[in-house]
Amino acid sequence: CEAEATAVIDTWTIATSMLRMLGIGVDPTNPTSALNALGMFAGSHEAWMSLRSLLQACLRVNPTQRITPAQMLQHPFFTVYSASEQELK
């Protein structure tokens, strides 16, 4: 279905945009390399690890395995950590 294809492309675009806002480039042939770069922010902080999990779900190479926009909104990064900006500091 075209709508489903558009949704998974959108989640890829959202993830790459989020990484670029953090100053991390994304190699389309190796998206997990960007997630490794996210580790410099992550430390052991749970909110950063949740962000990494969300981005990993968005950047799955196989579009049929990629998270949908509706699933993104149910991810703990949004449901647990979005209420407080302090969590990411």
Side-chain angles (χ1 to χ4, degrees), residues 28-81:
T29 63
N30 185 12
T32 55
S33 64
L35 296 176
N36 293 335
L38 187 60
M40 68 183 176
F41 295 101
S44 62
H45 198 280
E46 290 178 23
W48 282 108
M49 298 310 289
S50 182
L51 174 60
R52 186 181 196 285
S53 167
L54 173 65
L55 295 173
Q56 188 172 26
C58 293
L59 292 173
R60 290 190 177 121
V61 175
N62 183 340
T64 62
Q65 296 176 352
R66 210 171 290 155
I67 195 171
T68 66
Q71 291 168 326
M72 285 180 72
L73 294 175
Q74 297 305 312
H75 190 278
F77 180 73
F78 290 111
T79 61
V80 175
Y81 298 108

Side-chain angles (χ1 to χ4, degrees), residues 15-29:
T16 57
S17 297
M18 290 171 74
L19 286 164
R20 287 191 181 119
M21 289 183 344
L22 292 169
I24 300 170
V26 179
D27 176 359
T29 63

